[in-house]
Every structure is written in C-alpha cells, then in structure tokens.
Amino acid sequence: MIKAILIFNNHGKPRLIRFYQYFAEDMQQQIIRETFHLVSKRDDNVCNFLEGGSLIGGSDYKLIYRHYATLYFVFCVDSSESELGILDLIQVFVETLDKCFENVCELDLIFHMDKVHYILQEVVMGGMVLETNMNEIVAQVELQTRMEKSEGGLSAAPARAVSAVKNMNLPEIPRNINIGDINIKVPNLSPF
Amino acid sequence: MSDVVEKTLIALPSLLSLDSQLGAGKLSSTSKLGNLIRSITELTSKHEEEKLIKKELTALKEQVSSPNTTSRQMKEIMVRAIYCEMLGYEASFSYIHAIKLAQQGNGLEKRVGYLAVCLFLNESHDLLLLLVNTVLKDLQSTNLIDVCMALTVVSQIFPKDMIPAVLPLVEDKLTHSKEIIRRKAVLALYKFYLIAPNQVQHIHDKFRKALCDKDPGVMTASLHIYFQMIKENPDGFRELTASLVAILKQVVGGKLPVEFNYHSVPAPWLQIKLLRMLALLGKEDQSTSEMMFEVLDESLRRAELNHNITYAILFECVKTIYTIHPKSELLEKAAKCIGRFVLSPKINLKYLGLKALTYVVQQDPNLALQHQMTIIECLDHPDPIIKRETLELLYRITNGQNVSVIVQKMLDFLQQSKHGHTTIVLVGKVAELAEKYPFTHIAVVSVPIRLCTYAPDNGWFIQTMNTVFSLGGDDMQPEVPNNFLRLLAEGFDSAEEDRQLRLYAVDSYLSLLQTDTCHLPQRFLQVMSWVLGEFSFLKADLEPGLVLSRLASLLDQDLVTTETKSWVLAAMCKLCGGVVGEGVAGQVAAQFGGSLNTTLRQQAQELHVLSLDQALRSRVLPPHTSWDGLEVDSSLSFLDGFVSDALAQGAAPYKPPHQRQEELSQEKVLNLEPYGLALPVSLSTCSLMDRQSPTGFSLSSGLSGNSAELPHKGGSLKMDGVKRVWGKEGYLPQKEAAEEAPAMPSPPVPLTYRVAAARTRRWTPWPAPRPLGPDQEKQQLASSLFVGLGPQNQLCLLGKPDVAPQRFRRKTRPQDPEGGSDWLSVSSHSSHSTMDSLLDSSPTPLGEELNTTALLGEELNTAGFLREEPNAISPLGEGLNTADPMGEDPNTTRSLRETANGTTHLGEGLNAAGPLGEEPNPVSPQGKEPNTASPMGEEPNTASSQGPEDTLAFWSRAEGETEAPEASTMATDQPPTQADRLTPPPCATAELLEPHGSELLSLASDGSVDLSARKLYKGAALELQLYIRNTSSDQLQHVSLQLRSAELQVLDSPNQSFPLLGDHGAVTSRHSVVMETPLVQAIVGGAVTYHTQSGSANELGFSLRLTLADFLRPLPLSTEDYGKLWLSFNHDVKQNLQLLLDKEDPLSATLNILKEKLQFHLVEIIGTEGILACQLLPGHPCLLHCHAHSGTLTVWLRSPVPDLPDCLLYHCQRVLQER
C-alpha cells in the first residue's frame, strides 16, 4: 500500500502532500522534513530507493522517489509494493500531469494544486493503485473538467443565485444537517 | 529564488486570462490565491511566513463565517485553506465548511468540498459523521461523477461504525454498467475489508464476481482484495491458483487490448501483482507450485525488452521462483536473471540485484560466491544505500569464520553514516552477531591456518561491543545493553572462560574511564558501571580504591544524567568495603546529601551506611554470587502485611491506573447525563437497550433510564480493584504462568559452531597489512568474507535463515514472564529492593537464599551441560535423544536404548522409564528389524498416542528433578530419585486425558522425512508436538528443527536438534506457543534440516496455521465477579449474530455450541440473556454478553485488550455459520 505521496521542490517547500494513512498534523510536517532531508542529500546518479526512515512504519517502509528539474516526487510505500513498479508509476503520473498542463512546471502545481489532487485521485485511490493507463486517467479528468466548463457557461448564474439563497442563514446550517434517516449511534453514550 | 518570483509574475496574467472565461467571480478569487502564493514566495524567513499565514487564516475565518459568502467563493476559500494546511498551519475552522460544501455545493464545489474533507479529516474525526448522509445521497445520485466522488471519499476516509450504512449501496455499485464505478466500488470494499473484515464477510462471492469481471480494470482492482486475503490465509485460496495462472498466461501472451500496454509491455503492474500472489500461494506447496512453473517460465522468456518495467516483472518472477517449491530448471534461469541485475550498470537494478541475492542466499549460497567480486565492489560503492544493502547480504551469510570481517565492515559503515534509523538497526545487528559468535572457534579442521588469525576471541567481543556502545549512542535499542549484560552475567559453560571475558571487560572499562569520558553515551557509562560493580573483584591486583574513585569521578560530571548516576551509585554500593571505601562513600554522601533528586539522595545515603557496616553489606549484597536463581518478587507479596494493616486503619485502597481512568471516563458519562436525557425519549431508550450492562440484567427488565444503574456500581467496584491487585484470585493467572514455566523441560539446543573441547586463546591482532595490489586485496577480502559458504558448509547456512537470534544458547533458563528486555531494569533494582526490605528492619533471610541459589546455579551448570549438549558425541547423549519417542516406536528405540544401557546411571534411569511409555504398545523385545508402521500414525487419537506424552511427562519430571536442590551430584543421587518416580501414580491417566489435543496433522514430507504435528491444549499455552519421522532406511544426521513465527510467541527454545535419527526412527519436539496480540489467525513456520548418510544436506519447510480459537481457554468466573470485571474492561464490540434454530431453547443451544467450540466458560443464563467468559493465552480475559431476541443473538464482547473482541467475534460468527 502507498502510505503517502509527497511532492516538494529543491528547497523542501511542499507542493502537494497526500497521506493515505493517518498522521497528526505536526507528524506530517516532520515526515516531510525528514524525507526532504534524506532525499535532497542524494546525488542524481545514485539509486532511487531509500529505506529505513524512522517515521512511517519503521522497517516495512520504503521511499521511492524521482527528481525532475525543481521537484522531488516521493512515494512512501510498504513492502507490498514493487520498487520498480512504483518508480514507473511516478513516471506515469508526471507524464499525465504534463499532458493535462502542457509542459508542466512547478508553477502549475502551485496554482492548480486542486487539479493535481484530482489527477492523483484517478491514479491512486485510498493508497491503492487505481489506474496506470495515462489515456484513461486523462479521460477521467477531462470528463470532470467538462462538467466544470458547462457549469461555468450555462448554469453558473442560476447556480450562484440558488446558493446565495441557500446560504442566507449560514450560521444555522450545521444544526440542520439531516442525519435522521440513517441509524447513527450516538457516540460515547455508554449507560454506565 | 528571485527568478521563481519573476516566473510567477510572468505566469500570472496568462493564468488569470485562462480563468476569466470561467466567470467573473473566479477572477478575484484566483488572484487572492495568487497573491497569497506570491507573497509567500517573496518571504525570506520562516517567521515572516508564519505571520503572513496567520493573517491569511484570520481573513479566511472571517470570510467563511460571513453569511454573504457564496459557495463559489467558499470553494476558492477551501483551496486557500488546503494550501495553508499543506504548509503545516491548522485551519480547523474550515473543516465544517468543507463538509457543508460537499453536501450543498453543485458538481465542482462538491468536488472541492470532498477533496478538502479528505485532506483535512481522519477516520476518527467526529465531524465525519456529518458527511455520512451526503455520501449516501451521492451514492444514489444518477450523476456518475457524484458517485465517483462519493466512492473516492469512502475509500479514503470513512468511519468504521458507519460502514453498515453505506455497504449495501457500495455493493450495488459492483453491478454498475460503468467499469470505472465498478472499479472504484471494488477498491472501496477493499478499504472496508481492511478496517472491518467481519462486515464484508458475506460478500466474498461478489469479490469473486469482480475477479471474473469482463473489464480487466475491475479484475485488477479486485486483485487488491485477494492479495490481502491470500496474505492472511494462503491455504484458503489455493484453488484460485488455476484462475490466476490463466489470467497471467493471457496477459503475458498479449491477449489484453493494446491500451493496457505500457512501453509495449502488457499490463506490467497487473503482472507484478499476479506474480506476488502466486508466490504467496505456491510457498511450501508443491502441487500448487507445479501449476505455475510453465507460466513463470513464459514470463521469464517474454521479459526480454530492455525497459525498466520489464526488470520489475523479472524481479518479481525471480522472487516467486525462489519462494515456491523449487524447480531446478527455473532456478537456473532465475539465477541468471539475478546475475543480470547484479552486474547491471544501472544502479537501481544493482540495488534490486543485491536485494534478490539477500533473499535467495539462504537457499543458494553458491550464488553469492559467484558474484563475490561484485559484492566486494558494492561494499565500496559511493551510494550508502547500496552499501547498506550489501551489508545486509553479508549479515545473512555470516558464520563463525567470517564474522569478524563482516562485523568490521559494518562498524566501518557505522562510523561513516550518521543517519539515525540506519544506525539503530545496524548497531542491533552487529551486537546480535557479536553475541552469537562471542568466541567462536573454528570447528572445521580443514580450514587453512591463515584464517585462524581472524578467529574472534573474548577481547574481540568486548572491543566490538565497546565500539557498538560508543557508536550507537543513546538511541540504540535497549535490548543491546540488556543482552550484553545478561550474557556477561550468566556466562557460558566454562567458568574459566567467563572469568577471562569479565576480566577483559573490567580491564577495558577501567582504562576507558581513565580517559575523557564526556563523549561517551550514557548507556555505555551505565554498562561500564554495572560491570565494574559486579566483576571488578575478579581483578586480583586491583587497588581497592581505584575503581571507586574512577566511578566517583563520573558523579562529578555535568553531562552525566541522573539515571546514569543512579547506576554508578548502585555499583559503588557493591564495592564500598574498606577504609578507602568509607572515605569515598562519605564524600559522596556529603555531595548528594542535599541533592534535589530524592533517588540519588537515598542511594548516596545507603552507600554511606553500607560502607560503614561491613556485616550488613555482606548480607545485603553478598560478594561474588552468581546471577542464576535470583528471584524477584514481582507481586510485592512481602508488603501484604503492611497493606492489610493500612487498609484496616482505613486507608484508601490502591487502584491501578487503568481503573482510575475508567472511573474518570465513567464520571464523564455521568456529567453528560443531562444531555442524554434531553434527547427525544425514543432515541434514548433505544440506545440504552443497546448498551445494557450484563451486570445489570437482573435489573434490565425494568430498566428505564441511566440512573437505575448508578447505585449499582458504587462501592463494590472499588473493592474489586483491590482484590485484583492484592488478593489471591487476581494474581492467579500470572502466578500460574510463572509456576508453569519452570516445569517445562528445557529442550536441548543446537550448538552448531562449537566444539566441546575447552578453549582459551588470546585475541590475536589482525595480520600486519602487507603491500598488496588492489585486486589482490579484494581477492583476500573475498576469501575471508565468503569462507564457510559453499556446499561443504551448507549446514551452517541452512541452519540459520531468519531464525530469531539465539543469544543465550548455552544456558537455557526457564522463560521468565517479564521477557528479556525488562530483565536488566529489574535486576539493577533488585539489590535495591532487597536492601529496602532490610533497612525496613523486616528480617528476611534473603541474603542466605541468594547464597543457596547461587550454589544451585552451579549445579545447574553441570546438569545443564549434560542436557544441553546433545551434539557431544557420547552414548549418553544418544540415549537422551532417542529416549524421547519411546512410546512411538518401541523396537527401534529399545535397541538404541540398549546401547545406552549401562553406560551411565542416567541412561539406566531412562531405560527404566521406558516400560511406562511402552505400556499401551505391544512390546516385542526380540523384534530387531525396523518397524515401519508407527502406531502413532494409524490411531492418532486413541490411548496409544498418549504413549509419547506419558513418557515425556515423566521425562520432564525427571529433568525437573535434576534441577531440584537435593540433586547435588548427578551420578549418585539421580537413579534413586528417578526410580521413586517410576511407579506409575494412579493419577497418571487422568492427567493424560486432561489437556486434550487435536488430531495428528501431517505437515510436510519428502523422500526421507515425514513431519506431523499435534496441538495440545494445555492450560498455560498451546503446546505443539512435532513428530519427525525418518521414513527412509538410512540414518539421518544432524537433524535440526527450527520454529519461527512473526505473530506468535514460541515460549521455549524454538530450535531443537538431534544428532542422529536412525532408520525409521522418530523424534518428538515440543514447543509452547502463546498469542500475545490477538489475531484471527497466525502461522507458525519452520524447517527441518538434516543430512543423509551420503552427506547431502536437505531442508524440509513447513507451516502450520493456528487460529485464535487454539489459544482460548475457559475463564471460570462467578456471575458476581463477571459483573465487576465487565466494568473494568474498556474495549468492546457489539454485533448481531444468527441464533441457532432449536425448538426448545435456542439461546442455550447456541451458547453451548460456542462453549464447546471456542472453550468458553458459560457463567450463567438468565431468561433471554447469557454471559460467558474466556481468556486468550497468555491471560487476556474476554467477556461475552449475549441477548437473544427475535431470531438474532446480540453479542457484546468486552476485553482489556484492543483487538481481542473483534477477533473473537469473527470466530463466534464462523462457529455459528458452520452449524
């Protein structure tokens, strides 16, 4: 399983982070720092695998990374993933980004962080590889973008009007969220 | 940095113009994000960034709470919040709005909302409950994109409790017409399987359908689930092999559509996954493996293209080939492949090549020999990762002959690398190797003399450990110093050797302390002070005050921590005799008399008192005693009187921390009560019904509200806590375990690398380096590294793959329940507690006891020697070993025993024990020809199979006898005591029947050895009896058995060896296994290695599946105790199960089935409710409360152990389904 995907630049500035296993916020930042520290020290002519970080999962944990110009793409995986397979998955991901952004560069990742996330969601879902076929990934993302376009053009105005009306009483909203029709256990109401 | 800014500025207009077509609202928002990013890029310090983000967050907070914010703006705000969170700043105020956006937004806004939720929240976040309804709605939506988004969020984060709510909808999606939806649904179900396997149990057939889906993508997704399930239980899915092989064959053959190709390789990731699954399935299963030989060959052949991804496939292929049942033709090809990896100039491939070598080297040491020059080169590789992998490889091929070279290489690496985690791991490995071969001497005579200079010695061991301690720093695993000290304290066979080793350590530490110590890690100083305190008496010519003054100088240093000072003081207490001691002690006492640290102050005071009172000192800390038999009263029973006095005077009883916490949380529940009552009536009663306490089921009929139960839990609860800690019942399980352990026969342990002869050789320094050419140097290094590899030494290699390190082979002591790592801390304080009790003027003869036990320890040594060195070729050893299976094969063993007969008294004694074991079998003394049909195999469960047990029971008792105090001399005392024991006591048969066992399970067999096992459900552990039967007509030599398990704890030594196994003979080995952490099932694996008469070494691997049910034992409780216990357990699980159809009493029928199958104790059945109790070995209780209503059985399980209820529930479900 893929535990985390980290993208940061040569200075260690995070550009995209996605954890598939829960870590507390400060732990996440620590992982990013440690990973950057490990990866940035390495020349480009050494191998793309690293082992034995102490933060995620201990010995059953590998870092597989690629360095493109100003960016590091790092996948933290456990032993059930194939090293070379993940290495090529990174390549697929980057090529897909390139296709979607046309000559992708760091700035694209900064300004369209959400879009990068959507592309990633089509490649990796919940820590498992979902799709490795670039064309398929692009097609899925484009399908969503088309929805975006149609909304922006045709239905933008009414939608905005509706949402404006909806949000008139905004502070009230949390209480109105309807959870009545499914069986929600009231948490921590033990009878003792 | 500035050019980045510039680029940003240039890029901005184009970005803006691109976005402007999406509507006017978007423009300002993008520029806001742009502004934020731009200003962040301009910043130079972290501090400024922090200030800026804080400002941004405040602005965002204002905006989100403003009623005028549209969802379109909200969407943009979310992106900014995501950005801030990514930089590590919390934007928790936006979480609720993210959920709201996901719920209320249209398409795109919803997408941002879901994304933000995924990034912000985690599975246990409370707000996630609010998302459930949205997910439900979207799963039912007709819009495909909504469904996709909902499935994505479900597979990323979803609360475990809420799975039942969405499960049916996700299941439906498995039949959706769109393949992308089906695929995502499969992955979502996989996620459910991971977090709550019980909940998706019923849809396994749907997984099967997904595997057969016409779309390869869906099939690929379903492999994730199957991979996981196969990993957990390969036996359950062997029938899948054919399908998987067929799939792989088609993929490899290019039957998939072209769009699945990646660099013209058909679906490489799919191939990798399939190969991994095949490896799991084919492991240790010949027939399954045979099915895949062909396709593996095909895969190897096809993967000829020179792209990265083909190497990925090749690598998996090779691993699979080496994992499954071997086929020589394939192995040859795989070995060639490994060569391609290792010799590749590409560094990634080289790395994987080394990994593959590491993986296969245990099976095929020749391969390492083939590539030895490459390996040597890799040792000097500039990439530390390659270097480390090489060291890992060397670590696997370490034997007694090359250990010092390899350890030296590892230490060199350690000196260069400063990376924390690597250091910790490697330090552990070096220590392990050093302890494994502390002074191994070359056993093989034919080894050239030159190599002897490398042979380690006492000095080498101590020096290596010194380097380890100083390099390892304070981060190293605590086991390293603990094990080292334990090794020193317990010593080896020869007293002389022990003396030498300790003396060397004392010498080396004294000289180290003379130098500057401030750079040494604290752990090292602690080790030093302990060793000096304990063993400096060995050095005869030592000036009495010298050690004391050196130690005292440590106390003055500022860098030395309090903990270390405490160790130093403890050491000084042991040494403080004489006039000099008085002086130093006085100084120290003065120095620490005013210390703020009470521990130090107390210890200094004790030191002072002890130095003045010589008699007291020799009583409290008797000099020159051995460590064996030192007993620590962990239950603090000597305080019982004090406690009861205090209680009688009205002191508050002690409560363990967990109970205090429990009560606190209960108080919380009380505080919440008004809110609970404020809920609508229907809801509150419903939730109360669900959570009824079994303790209250007498009240339950009339239960109307929370308050009814409050008085019930008042006073009785507190008394309960006291009872459990101090009373007799509470400690029973632990005491039982402690008593049980020494009764186990300590099995003989292999001594592969040792010769029995006495040895004392000083450490010889490395040969002076002669000027050599670099190649020559490497050649020499190679010959020293790879010595001992190759066919003639295969035993050494096969002898140790993955075996848990056997550090203390020489003295197997009864397993102490504390486990090894705690031992040191206990022992370091033990003198302390002894002293406390003395100072408290409660005169216990502890000191005397210590002396006796020390004496005993020496006797143990003699006894242990006989028992533990079966390799020493003596008729006695033979007699011992063959005596084991007496009941199984009377003919063979009898003849063997006759050879042993008369040689020693012990042999006689054993012989006398023989008839007992044979009783159930027809004895035919004249039948000298081998009896092929072992009665055991035929009637595994009848009385005759009890034979071996019977004998063994006696055997173990006889062994216990050798450890008993009165056995002062083996040869004289032993026979009579044994003879006494030989009259079969009347209770023998009853005792035999008591621990019932499973049927005989055949584990593995090959041409000459047949291996079978029996599970024996003993009270304190699950005992595995492994029967190794020689089915050939040749003698087998050096038979050794190794047992390992990643998940279970094998209590006694997991390794056994038998020097000789006669034709058609059999031996038994017994192992106690417990399950420390609850698992649904776990595997014990292992291997039998043996040498045939022709000299070839063989290995027979096996694995045995054990389920949680094997480790369950009834927990006898009264209803009242049950009620008290129930409240103190805090992990619970509740589920509805099927009630058995029984006309008269479905509840008791169901409970009796559970009781019978899972060994529950049925506490009581009242009306429609029943309570049961059981314990998981070793001693984790679990309570069940069952309530039958309208055809279902609501089961509520509680335990103090986190996963136990879950796992147990799984088995309950299984049992009831099987009916």
Side-chain angles (χ1 to χ4, degrees), chain B residues 210-224:
Chain B
L211 183 67
C212 306
D213 198 281
K214 60 180 186 295
D215 184 272
V218 182
M219 184 266 292
T220 311
S222 75
L223 290 185
H224 287 305

Side-chain angles (χ1 to χ4, degrees), chain B residues 939-1002:
Chain B
E939 352 166 49
N941 257 346
T942 54
S944 75
S945 74
Q946 304 286 1
E949 243 179 82
D950 190 352
T951 328
L952 286 168
F954 270 89
W955 174 229
S956 75
R957 208 169 308 146
E959 268 201 345
E961 204 60 37
T962 59
E963 290 173 22
E966 59 265 30
S968 57
T969 327
M970 288 271 304
T972 53
D973 279 10
Q974 208 54 27
T977 37
Q978 288 232 344
D980 288 346
R981 298 250 162 206
L982 284 176
T983 42
C987 63
T989 42
E991 207 177 87
L992 286 176
L993 293 173
E994 204 264 309
H996 63 288
S998 74
E999 290 179 11
L1000 198 68
L1001 312 157
S1002 176

